[in-house]
Amino acid sequence: MDTRKLKYFLAVVDHDGFNRAAEHLLIAQPSLSQTIAGLEKELGVPLFHRIGRRAVLSEAGKELVGPARLVMRDLDAAQSAVQSLRGIRSGKLDIITMPSPGIEPLTSMIASFTQLHPSVRLNVGAAFTPEEVIESVRSGSHEVGLAGSSTPIKVPGVEVLELERQPLILIVNPHADTFPSTGTAIQREELGGHRLIASQRGSLMRWLVDDALAHGVEVEIVVEVAHRTSILPLVLAGVGHAVMPSSWAPTAHKAGLRTLLVEPVNYLDVAVLSRKENLTPAAKAFLEVAAHHTERGSGADR
């Protein structure tokens, strides 16, 4: 088995079929199909079920995805390590992040990283749960992941660096701001009677809203959004208030919105995750930036 076959196999997986994969690889589709057929013959099992024009992973194919990604990632690490000895600093780094850590601290860390390593290209993917980030790092899909959780993240076999703790705040709807003008914080009970824009179930922000409802605080969820990029525009439009981590505060303030700390305070614990070995030089350099961020205590309430 050679790495070219694994590269082609992963291209079919990542591009949802042979046609798009062939376009991405800049090869003819029959050539790609022939290579995959050779890999299947070599392994003695089908990797895809052909259903019409679709290619659906077989059970054997699903089992191969993770190891194949690790092989390709380790090859990248080996090539980057050799290139770094020759003074070559180019390359790429794949990062996956949840929405709130993707605003901060990721923005600050990327700014620092690109100043130090301007020729390294960063690819930032999206995840919505800590489990997605963990699985992506474990499988080798991404080298570095940023996740936020209601409790510190601890994962066997994965390196975890705690970055900061972000308190939950209320981003105030300017069309329904009946909170004291001199205050910087409100009690959770003061949310009663207000309309809220809520994240999906499973997030810490949604848990706070649901917990308030469970304790008799009469709030109205007027909109539930999966894409959190919609939240600030909805608040600006007067749709409702929003409970979010403090990483959103600077952007909210620039938009002219007021924020209030919600007491009792709940925190989003933000951490950076990586494999424990065989990292590319770019990933190692990014983790150094992350460690420096932690040392500065930027944006953290540790």
Side-chain angles (χ1 to χ4, degrees):
M1 186 188 304
D2 60 51
T3 56
R4 179 180 64 93
K5 293 177 182 176
L6 292 180
K7 177 182 177 181
Y8 285 12
F9 165 72
L10 290 174
V12 177
V13 174
D14 293 337
H15 295 276
D16 297 321
F18 284 79
N19 290 333
R20 290 182 180 177
E23 292 175 2
H24 172 76
L25 294 167
L26 302 178
I27 62 173
Q29 193 270 338
S31 177
L32 174 60
S33 296
Q34 185 177 5
T35 301
I36 297 300
L39 178 59
E40 291 176 322
K41 182 177 180 181
E42 192 173 339
L43 293 173
V45 291
L47 299 174
F48 297 96
H49 298 304
R50 278 71 168 180
I51 303 174
R53 294 186 177 182
R54 297 179 58 223
V56 180
L57 278 170
S58 67
E59 288 303 313
K62 292 176 183 177
E63 290 296 320
L64 182 60
V65 171
R69 290 198 192 281
L70 291 178
V71 168
M72 299 306 297
R73 184 70 68 196
D74 289 344
L75 180 61
D76 286 343
Q79 291 174 336
S80 296
V82 173
Q83 289 173 347
S84 67
L85 294 177
R86 293 161 46 197
I88 299 174
R89 296 290 181 260
S90 62
K92 70 171 185 173
L93 173 60
D94 294 318
I95 301 172
I96 187 166
T97 181
M98 291 173 63
S100 294
I103 294 178
E104 282 294 346
L106 183 59
T107 297
S108 294
M109 291 193 296
I110 285 180
S112 298
F113 181 84
T114 54
Q115 287 182 344
L116 295 170
H117 309 282
S119 60
V120 176
R121 187 185 72 193
L122 302 180
N123 296 323
V124 181
F128 292 94
T129 66
E131 291 74 21
E132 288 180 72
V133 175
I134 293 166
E135 177 57 30
S136 186
V137 170
R138 273 182 168 163
S139 70
S141 296
H142 295 82
E143 281 200 276
V144 175
L146 271 79
S149 176
S150 58
T151 57
I153 298 172
K154 300 189 184 299
V155 186
V158 174
E159 197 71 37
V160 179
L161 174 64
E162 295 183 22
L163 294 175
E164 60 186 42
R165 304 184 73 206
Q166 299 179 0
L168 295 191
I169 60 172
L170 185 73
I171 303 177
V172 180
N173 172 10
H175 302 279
D177 188 355
T178 59
F179 303 107
S181 59
T182 57
T184 58
I186 60 168
Q187 296 298 310
R188 192 179 303 181
E189 291 74 19
E190 293 180 68
L191 294 174
H194 287 276
R195 291 158 60 89
L196 297 181
I197 301 159
S199 302
Q200 288 180 307
R201 292 188 184 276
S203 68
L204 178 62
M205 296 76 73
R206 179 57 181 269
W207 172 86
L208 187 149
V209 175
D210 288 343
D211 189 60
L213 284 165
H215 284 82
V217 181
E218 295 184 0
V219 299
E220 179 186 356
I221 297 176
V222 61
V223 180
E224 180 180 292
V225 294
H227 298 288
R228 293 176 197 168
T229 50
S230 302
I231 289 177
L232 286 183
L234 287 170
V235 174
L236 283 166
V239 175
H241 310 294
V243 175
M244 299 298 292
S246 60
S247 59
W248 292 74
T251 305
H253 295 160
K254 287 179 181 178
L257 296 171
R258 189 158 76 110
T259 62
L260 298 167
L261 185 68
V262 181
E263 296 179 335
V265 181
N266 291 97
Y267 292 92
L268 185 72
D269 285 278
V270 178
V272 62
L273 284 65
S274 63
R275 284 196 291 156
K276 292 192 172 183
E277 55 188 15
N278 298 330
L279 293 173
T280 63
K284 292 177 182 177
F286 189 88
L287 293 177
E288 290 176 5
V289 170
H292 184 60
H293 173 91
T294 303
E295 291 168 2
R296 292 199 319 265
S298 174
D301 184 7
R302 302 184 63 83

